[in-house]
Amino acid sequence: MMRRALVSLLLAAPTLAFAADVYVPGSPEDPHVREAQYLLRDHRTLSAAIELRLSDKKNDALRMPEAYQWRLAESYLAFGLRDRAEEIYRSLAGSSSDKDRIASAQLDVAEFDYQRGYLAEARATLYKMREVLPESAVVRWQDLLARVLLAESRYGEAADVLTELNNAGNQSSYTRFNLGVALVNDGRTAQGQTVLDRVGRLVPDDLEDLALRDRANTSLGWHFLQNQQGGTAKPIFSRVRVEGPFSNRALLGLGWAELAPQGDRVVKAEVGDDKPDADPFTTFSTLGVLVRPGFLEDDIFKRAGLRAFSLKKASREETDALQRALVPWVELISRDPMDTAVQEAWLAIPFTLDRLGAYTQALQYYEKAVGVLENAHDRMDKALESIKRGRMVETIVRREIDSEAGRDWKLRDLPDAPETYFLQSLLAEHRFQEALKNYRDVRMMSRNLEAWQQRLATVERSASNTDRADMRVDQVIERQRAQWKAPWAGLKIQLHGDEKLSVPGATTPAAPSQPAVTSQLQLSGVPARFNGVREQTSTLHARIGGLREQLAQAGAEQARLLQDMSVAELEGQQRQIERYLVEARFALARLYDRQIKGELDAQ
Amino acid sequence: MFSALVIFSLSASAAQPDLTERALRLDQNIQALKDEIIEFNREAQAVENETLVPDHLRLSVYLSVGVGGLLLTEAAITVDDKAPEIYRYDETDARALLDDAAVQRVLITTVMPGPHRIRMTVNGNFANAKPGDAPITQSYEAIFDKDDQEAELEFRLTRSSRFGGDLKLTMKQWKVKP
């Protein structure tokens, strides 16, 4: 019957079985190593690490083939297990001839350290690499070391790292921006300005380039403002796009640039890698175009409800400057009042009107400003309450609760919570993102253990299922034999032939009365404990209990850390609003006082 | 008044050393927990495998794709007369499978020693396919012989030659070196 079934199977099938290909465990051909690669690419970092650990039967990763070690180290690092990864990379550095890959791995570890805030460790790793740095890793090494040094406020060293190899042509625009910041902060102001100016003129290829360009121009513009060089700041701010993450700050600066001392003409410094400056004009949607007289829709003053006012106080030159300053600020107050730049514009406008002698309108604007700022303060209170309830973080982590992406996880969009708007800059910072990743990982691990409780229960049920077919003892013994290796396997025993043969009778024969030597057989001791499926699952259940408790505690501490970071950020912003409110109310009181005294002329 | 924006200021973390220290201490703690979770999973998975899919009955089926830009939407595996096991892909896992070194384990089950019939069918589309283009479908059916060790089969979707040609699905059996 069996034979007939097999024959029909063979006849029906298009392809027959063939000889198997053999693989060495842990080699690049090993399906477990390749499956781990798939899991890594699928952002399932925990599963990748487990898959590899499971295939290491001797539980000694450092003795496995290189392919296995590389993959395991990558999985560990992706899952956020930095120390484990580094241990393997260190071992590989001693055995592998692939220096480029070793350098790239060390840079990955240093990048992890930088993002998590282990700055001293990142710096040590990077400086240690310097002597054996392959050409392929130079640019990335420079960029990362400069970022680490900037984070530590070691500006001079950062600038040296980026300039000493004289390879500006290979560096990215981001690296050049960092160089500009490092040079300015190190006191090499003229060189820093030149580098930032060049980044601010780059011809953009994509939205990221545009954002970097805007950032460089906004930074440089405010730098000139702080150095009393309003005249130089104006064209720089004018390069910033009308809509973008830096446009509000640039609009605010553009107004102040009209009122600040105009300063001397700035002479560009040579930085040794000069290329011709690109034309900064690449789009019509820049602030320079927006605030150009006559270009803007109708009359921006009319839009803001500013009637014509008589000028009593300022000189002609100052009046012109004040009126020009109002142009970007009037545009700015039409934007979201929760932005600090917009809030400052709400104060800057009545300040300017007051200077122009338009007291009534100044008074009205201060009153509106107080309303806007009080509203912002209330919203900030609500945001603080919401943070304390942990809603925003909870919403973020619940979206992809089972994701094993580890350190590759990215916050794709922001949740709709009251605090989200105020925390945008904090949410983009490594310190917050990395803490958030850890919090997510803790939650994911708790769910992993929760799932194991069910899975182990299934294992127990299966092990105690008496309906299973009986096993054939001869087959079990055969399988065990196939896996068993004699402890003396491989041991070589050599016999030596004696050089002399004793004369017969010269040796002492055994006494006839002596009993023959016989080997004594003894029963071996009973094992102290049996470690069957039931015992193993019972131990695993107990471990789940302990681990879940530790994870719950770690999760609570991590959530508190995220909350404290958010509260510190919001309280800083709230203090700023309170300062503005004090200024607005004080200015209002002053104007009322002068009105009562009849010092203000009617408009 | 224009002190609101200081562009070259230090990050907020520099002003909050206690938060930075707390973050690092917690990170260390969580790293230790991650390590324990991996080891726990390793041991638990080994017990589960030993009980539910022991080596001598285990059949692992893998799938790999060696055709650039081909994003699978579905893979179906049928062993003997059992109901087919179907895996549906989203874009992320379909792209993960395009890595040259990657294989995906699409099935782990138990079968008795002896000959078995297995059939794999995959469906997918090229990333640059236009709306209305017919989906790609490939099938392969074979007999494999299960002995008293784990059986590991890899189905591979490739082109018929290095320089292009038709798509083809093939099967390879792997054995661990004793």
Side-chain angles (χ1 to χ4, degrees), chain A residues 43-44 397-405 440 443-445 447-448:
Chain A
H43 308 297
R44 286 151 68 186
V397 297
R398 274 205 183 165
R399 284 186 181 169
E400 299 169 275
I401 196 153
D402 289 322
S403 165
E404 297 176 17
R440 281 192 65 268
R443 295 283 295 268
M444 182 270 291
M445 289 190 286
R447 287 176 62 82
N448 171 275

Side-chain angles (χ1 to χ4, degrees), chain A residues 515-521:
Chain A
V517 177
T518 54
S519 58
Q520 297 287 317
L521 285 178

Side-chain angles (χ1 to χ4, degrees), chain B residues 76-94:
Chain B
I77 314 106
T78 312
V79 178
D80 299 330
D81 297 325
K82 292 179 186 169
E85 295 282 341
I86 298 173
Y87 185 90
R88 292 191 174 85
Y89 294 84
D90 59 24
E91 192 173 326
T92 313
D93 48 16

Side-chain angles (χ1 to χ4, degrees), chain A residues 6 15 17 21 23 34-35 37 41 51 53 79 84 116 118 344 438 441 452 455 543 564, chain B residues 4-5 7 10 22 27 34-35 39 41 43 47-48 99 103 105 115 143 152 154 173 175 177:
Chain A
L6 179 59
T15 312
D21 286 22
Y23 68 86
R34 295 166 65 201
E35 159 82 351
Q37 176 68 4
R41 289 284 167 269
E51 176 72 27
R53 294 290 295 116
F79 188 48
R84 286 277 184 201
R116 288 273 150 118
Y118 298 104
E344 187 168 329
N438 266 341
D441 287 346
W452 267 115
R455 288 169 71 173
R543 279 174 69 187
D564 291 349
Chain B
L5 283 160
I7 300 297
L10 298 178
R22 261 172 71 193
D27 184 61
K34 284 179 174 178
D35 204 13
E39 289 313 299
N41 270 269
E43 288 170 38
V47 175
E48 189 182 57
D99 187 299
V103 293
R105 184 166 43 226
I143 300 289
E152 294 179 285
E154 178 186 348
Q173 187 160 1
K175 273 260 175 268
K177 190 178 178 186

